[in-house]
Each structure stands twice: as C-alpha cells, then as structure tokens.
C-alpha cells in the first residue's frame, strides 16, 4: 500500500477550503487494463488528506483491515460479465468499517454494469460501511478495445470531478444527512460467467515472467509463460496490458468474430439511443 501524508484539509474547489475532521482516505482499486485506476485516482484527487492507495492487482492481500469512522473508503472495480471480478472479493472482504463512509464505483466497457454496482454496495454495507456515493462509469472495453475507445476522455474526467465534489459535499454535510442510495441491479445477482477466450504469448515473449507474477489467478506458469492455464484464466487482460513485448493476445480465430459481433451489439445501442450509453452517477 502506498501512503502519502498531507494536511487534513479538504479542497472542494480550489477557492473554497474548509477544515473538517477527516481520517485517512483509502483509495482501493482492481484495474487489469488501467482504466479503473485512472477513474479512482481522479475521484481521489479532489480529496486532500492522508491517502492510502491499494492496487489489488499489484498487492494482493487478504489480511483483515479495520477502518475508523472518520476515514473515507473509495473502492473501484471493473465490471466482469455484470459482476465484481472474483479475485477482488476476498480482498475487499478483508476490509471492515465502523460506520465508515464509502464511495463505490463500477467501471464498465459500455455494454452494461448489470448487478456489479449493487453487489459492491451491498458488500460494503455488510462490512459496516455507509455508501454515501456510487457511480457506474464508462471506460474503454478492455477486451474489445474499439468499444468506448479512449475513455475516460477529458469530458468524462470533468464529470468525475463533479461527482467527487458532490461526494465531498455529502461527507461534509454530516452523517445525519446520509441516506441509503438506490442503485441499479438485481439480487440474486447474475450468474458468474467467464469469457471463453484466454490469451497466450507469441514467439516474441522473452520469458521475463512479469505476466506470471501479476496474474491474479496464477494461470501463467513462470517456467513457461507462453502458455495459459485455460481453466484458471478469467480473461482479465492484466497480462496483455503489462507485457513489455506486446506478446500476449487472445486467439485470433475466436477474437475476430467475437469482436465483430460485440461491436455490432454495442452499435445497435448507439443506433437506438443516438449516442453511446452514458455513465450513471449516483450521489
Ligand atoms: C472478463 C471481462 C468481462 C467484462 N464484462 C463486461 C460487462 O459485463 N459489461 C461491460 O460493459 N464491460 C465489461 N467488460 C469491460 C470492462 O468492464 C471495462 O473495460 C473496464 O473499463 C476495465 O477496467 P480496467 O481497465 O481497470 O481493467 C469486461 C471486461 C473483461 C476483461
Ligand atoms: S510479460 Fe510478456 S515477455 Fe514477459 S513472460 Fe509474459 S508474455 Fe513473456
Ligand atoms: S492469464 Fe488470464 S487471468 Fe491471468 S492475467 Fe492473463 S488474462 Fe488475466
């Protein structure tokens, strides 16, 4: 976990500063292809306090951690088949609140976030956090990268600043004014399903072992990193994003038709609605 120590002043806007009783700001995310990290760091940037950043991919850890009532928890996960990615669950369950305020964020690739935000909110509430802000945010699809390509873009980031400012206002309004948020989703949640395509490395792989160290489900053998254990891999794309050689890919024979079909299905949403699906921000 990285720590940065700053004053406990919250900057809502640059011109307006108010001293409030604040503990630590915990910024926690799982971000195989990097977009969730960008989103969470942007939301956290407005909150000026002692920050603890925990990247669940780089520092997997299930040691129990207890937060204080005056702390603030920010959690961001990508949506995988409408749910929270399974490797995140035991790590997020290691967090216990004490009526600690929390902000829940689900980042999704413009198909749908289905039950993921509700699942995250419910999980946090079961662990004694009070979810005072929640957002579903569109970002570039990590598998079908032409979908929502380049997002979050400058306009998205500005909207995240507004969301962050709204969360800060709510934090400062005091717990008496915090009420339960309603977010989209159904329980029982969608069944957990895995994407059938799994990446492997081509001949440009230098066997550096980076992907094997990073894989959240240990699907890559460090002794033979070109191969992927198909039964373990959850297609998270972390190894593809991290490989310095650009050696890891989904199998072309499956990827090309799947990509055409997926882009078509998202395009039909564009045709129906006149624009790509927007982010939903609840706060
Ligand atoms: C295995 C897998 C499943 C996904 N399922 C969905 C989904 O159900 N709905 C959606 O809109 N995007 C889905 N996506 C896209 C990601 O949620 C999206 O690209 C997100 O921004 C990835 O976050 P990251 O860049 O932090 O890894 C999926 C991506 C992966 C890798
Ligand atoms: S990160 Fe790339 S080069 Fe390194 S072992 Fe993995 S596939 Fe090979
Ligand atoms: S092998 Fe599969 S689970 Fe492991 S990092 Fe790569 S895509 Fe993710």
């Amino acid at each position: 976990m990285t720590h940065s120590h700053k004053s406990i002043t919250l900057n809502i806007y640059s011109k307006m500063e108010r001293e409030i009783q604040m503990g630590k700001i915990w910024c926690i995310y799982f971000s195989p292809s990097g977009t969730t990290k960008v989103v969470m760091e942007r939301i956290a940037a407005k909150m000026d306090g002692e920050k603890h950043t925990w990247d669940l991919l780089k520092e997997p850890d299930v040691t129990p951690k207890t937060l204080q009532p005056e702390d603030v928890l920010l959690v961001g996960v990508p949506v995988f088949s409408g749910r929270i990615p399974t490797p995140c669950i035991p790590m997020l369950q290691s967090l216990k609140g004490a009526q600690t305020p929390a902000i829940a964020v689900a980042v999704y690739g413009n198909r749908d976030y289905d039950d993921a935000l509700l699942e995250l909110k419910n999980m946090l509430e079961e662990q004694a956090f009070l979810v005072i802000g929640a957002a579903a945010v569109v970002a570039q699809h990590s598998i079908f990268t032409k979908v929502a390509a380049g997002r979050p873009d400058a306009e998205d980031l500005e909207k995240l600043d507004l969301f962050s400012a709204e969360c800060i206002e709510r934090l400062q309004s005091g717990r008496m004014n915090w009420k339960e948020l309603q977010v989209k989703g159904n329980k029982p949640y969608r069944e957990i399903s895995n994407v059938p395509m799994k990446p492997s490395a081509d001949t440009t792989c230098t066997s550096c072992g980076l992907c094997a160290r990073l894989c959240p489900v240990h699907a890559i053998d460090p002794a033979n990193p070109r191969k992927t254990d198909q039964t373990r891999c959850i297609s998270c794309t972390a190894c593809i994003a991290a490989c310095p050689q650009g050696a890891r890919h989904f199998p072309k024979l499956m990827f090309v038709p799947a990509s055409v079909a997926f882009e078509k299905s998202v395009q039909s949403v564009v045709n129906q609605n006149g624009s790509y699906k927007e982010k939903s921000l609840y706060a």
Side-chain angles (χ1 to χ4, degrees):
M1 243 166 275
T2 52
H3 309 274
S4 71
H5 296 268
K6 292 189 188 167
S7 73
I8 56 161
T9 307
L10 265 185
N11 291 322
I12 303 179
Y13 305 108
S14 52
K15 286 185 194 137
M16 184 163 77
E17 288 193 354
R18 264 195 262 169
E19 290 283 342
I20 63 157
Q21 282 299 313
M22 280 274 297
K24 295 171 187 129
I25 297 163
W26 295 62
C27 180
I28 299 177
Y29 50 79
F30 182 72
S31 189
S33 90
T35 61
T36 308
K37 177 176 192 244
V38 170
V39 167
M40 296 314 292
E41 286 183 345
R42 187 70 178 212
I43 295 170
K46 285 261 163 195
M47 301 182 181
D48 196 6
E50 184 186 323
K51 278 181 198 149
H52 289 225
T53 302
W54 181 16
D55 180 331
L56 300 177
L57 190 67
K58 293 195 176 138
E59 300 170 84
D61 176 27
V62 292
T63 318
K65 298 151 200 76
T66 305
L67 276 71
Q68 302 305 313
E70 64 277 13
D71 291 346
V72 180
L73 173 67
L74 277 68
V75 182
V77 292
V79 175
F80 279 12
S81 306
R83 299 285 305 270
I84 298 178
T86 44
C88 300
I89 291 176
M91 291 191 274
L92 293 179
Q93 282 175 338
S94 73
L95 296 163
K96 293 282 173 284
Q99 303 305 303
T100 308
I103 297 162
V105 180
V107 180
Y108 70 109
N110 216 24
R111 184 192 66 74
D112 206 319
Y113 57 96
D114 299 308
D115 304 330
L117 190 60
L118 179 68
E119 185 183 11
L120 181 59
K121 174 181 172 280
N122 287 347
M123 180 193 282
L124 293 174
E125 286 172 350
E126 278 158 24
Q127 293 160 211
F129 291 97
L130 300 173
V131 178
I132 61 109
V137 180
V138 170
Q140 175 167 308
H141 200 290
S142 47
I143 298 178
F144 304 112
T145 52
K146 286 188 191 158
V147 173
R151 294 183 70 180
D153 56 20
E155 200 186 326
D156 295 324
L157 295 177
E158 274 175 28
K159 287 184 184 161
L160 288 173
D161 290 344
L162 293 177
F163 171 68
S164 181
E166 275 181 53
C167 290
I168 293 169
E169 292 269 20
R170 181 151 311 169
L171 284 167
Q172 294 192 316
S173 72
R175 4 191 112 236
M176 300 293 285
N177 296 308
W178 301 346
K179 15 181 207 294
E180 193 183 341
L181 299 179
Q182 297 302 314
V183 306
K184 188 190 91 151
N186 296 301
K187 202 175 174 187
Y189 309 128
R190 277 165 69 103
E191 256 183 56
I192 292 178
S193 66
N194 274 334
V195 170
M197 294 181 296
K198 315 291 177 189
S200 57
D202 62 28
T203 51
T204 60
C205 167
T206 57
S207 298
C208 72
L210 177 65
C211 56
R213 288 195 294 279
L214 203 60
C215 176
V217 292
H218 311 291
I220 304 170
D221 179 357
N224 184 8
R226 288 194 197 171
K227 277 204 165 166
T228 305
D229 182 338
Q230 309 274 316
T231 59
R232 282 177 167 267
C233 173
I234 55 163
S235 312
C236 74
T237 77
C239 56
I240 300 174
C243 175
Q245 306 301 321
R248 296 189 67 86
H249 317 273
F250 287 110
K252 258 197 186 145
L253 267 180
M254 284 178 97
F255 183 78
V256 173
S259 159
V260 169
F262 187 79
E263 282 162 27
K264 233 187 212 170
S265 71
V266 178
Q267 191 61 36
S268 73
V269 175
V270 178
N271 293 339
Q272 277 164 29
N273 299 345
S275 70
Y276 266 53
K277 260 195 261 177
E278 258 314 311
K279 68 172 69 61
S280 310
L281 296 176
Y282 305 86

